[in-house]
Amino acid sequence: MPTSNVPDGVRGSHLHRGAAEGFGADADRYDRSRPVTPRAVADAVLGYLAGDARLGEAAPAGSSGPDGTDVAAGSTGGDGPPAPVRLLDVGMGTGLSTLPFQAAGAEVLGVEADERMAAVARGRGLDVEVARFEDWDPAGRRFDAVVSGMTWHWVDPVAGAAQAARVLRDQGVLALFWHAADLPLTLRTALHALYSREMAGTPGAGMYAPGIMAADGYEAMLDRAEAGLSEAGGFGRPQRWRHVWERRYTVEEWLDQVPTSGGFGLLPAHVQQAVLDGVRSALEHDEAVTGGAFTVRHTTVLLAVRRTR
């Protein structure tokens, strides 16, 4: 994928990592308000690792992965049962992306740049090391899969791909994904007007732009990642996949997650308050909100690729 297809603001997003590393200022809010990755996403990645021809399409019964392992299994370890998949979660955060992989039986290690986020992950029993992924020392460890949920845009796309190639076993899988939220149309229109007015001149001003599905907007993230993979080398042909799911939010739950958007904490206090007040007003007066709650259509966009050398 040519780098020229990637918008400038997306191509250089890793240069603004300070915004991401501010999430830890309220790690508990982030953990309670952001969605957990659906199990279907983990199943698609683990199935692809185990030999599915395409993401989200189950391999024929009795088939095995490229190295002879069974579905969702790591190395066979001789005649004994297969070992768990060894999985590295880049930008683990508080563990929201890790949980479905762990539930599927994977053995997970996280790398997280913010100690405050890592502390929350450790509190739920996850193993995490604090470092920027590009600078992290794997100490000779190798993994069956490297995943990154909602974080790869904060990683240098070339250096990150090169690091992933170093730590993956042959035919191991790198999987990168983002969750895009599409609000009901009336809410989207009202919030776009609010963000354009209150956050003019910031990246957030373009949120909820009319006529653009959120998942389509996230394709630029996949383009950026694919360009980095191509430049770094060592990977095969990437595959893309989408998974649609829904979550119902109360007004208070949606307001709770607004401050977790990248860069929100860098806004002046009066702008933050104006945005929160405006969002509350829009929610309380919109016909899509019934009984104090509304449904959001999420689409997980996923790119997965095998390490080939």
Side-chain angles (χ1 to χ4, degrees):
M1 180 64 64
T3 306
S4 59
N5 287 359
V6 184
D8 289 342
V10 173
R11 186 184 306 128
S13 56
H14 63 285
L15 302 176
H16 305 286
R17 186 177 282 177
E21 293 174 357
F23 291 144
D26 198 347
D28 289 332
R29 179 196 295 271
Y30 187 99
D31 187 61
R32 69 173 178 260
S33 66
R34 288 292 188 102
V36 175
T37 293
R39 174 63 182 265
V41 175
D43 288 344
V45 172
L46 294 174
Y48 183 59
L49 172 67
D52 293 358
R54 297 194 60 81
L55 284 166
E57 296 181 5
S63 65
S64 59
D67 62 353
T69 61
D70 294 330
V71 171
S75 58
T76 57
D79 296 329
V85 165
R86 298 179 303 277
L87 185 143
L88 181 70
D89 186 346
V90 176
M92 176 184 271
T94 64
L96 299 177
S97 292
T98 293
L99 295 176
F101 290 96
Q102 185 184 55
E107 181 180 281
V108 182
L109 172 66
V111 178
E112 167 56 42
D114 192 312
E115 171 60 42
R116 298 165 297 183
M117 300 286 274
V120 176
R122 292 192 191 103
R124 54 168 37 113
L126 297 170
D127 188 11
V128 55
E129 298 177 7
V130 176
R132 291 188 175 193
F133 179 57
E134 304 94 319
D135 305 325
W136 174 67
D137 180 8
R141 291 168 289 184
R142 302 291 289 274
F143 298 86
D144 301 304
V146 173
V147 303
S148 179
M150 298 294 290
T151 57
W152 197 255
H153 52 292
W154 303 118
V155 175
D156 182 291
V158 179
Q163 177 77 305
R166 281 191 289 270
V167 303
L168 279 169
R169 64 165 170 83
D170 184 41
Q171 295 299 314
V173 169
L174 171 64
L176 314 173
F177 55 90
W178 288 265
H179 309 310
D182 276 306
L183 299 176
L185 181 58
T186 51
L187 273 176
R188 186 179 183 89
T189 301
L191 293 184
H192 178 65
L194 169 69
Y195 278 65
S196 298
R197 180 179 67 253
E198 299 294 344
M199 299 176 64
T202 75
M207 291 181 67
Y208 309 112
I212 302 176
M213 297 296 290
D216 294 336
Y218 273 84
E219 287 292 328
M221 301 289 196
L222 303 187
D223 291 344
R224 171 187 182 272
E226 196 166 327
L229 290 166
S230 178
E231 186 171 342
F235 290 94
R237 182 185 297 274
Q239 289 192 24
R240 300 189 185 193
W241 181 71
R242 290 188 177 192
H243 173 65
V244 178
W245 48 287
E246 291 185 344
R247 175 177 169 180
R248 193 157 177 84
Y249 292 83
T250 67
V251 169
E252 296 304 324
E253 286 172 340
W254 188 261
L255 285 167
D256 196 32
Q257 63 82 38
V258 169
T260 70
S261 299
F264 187 89
L266 303 178
L267 297 171
H270 73 279
V271 175
Q272 293 182 21
Q273 192 60 53
V275 170
L276 290 171
D277 290 345
V279 172
R280 178 181 291 279
S281 178
L283 293 175
E284 291 179 345
H285 294 90
D286 196 278
E287 61 185 14
V289 181
T290 58
F294 62 103
T295 300
V296 175
R297 180 181 187 270
H298 291 271
T299 303
T300 298
V301 297
L302 168 67
L303 180 149
V305 62
R306 295 188 188 279
R307 177 185 177 273
T308 54
R309 60 176 174 81

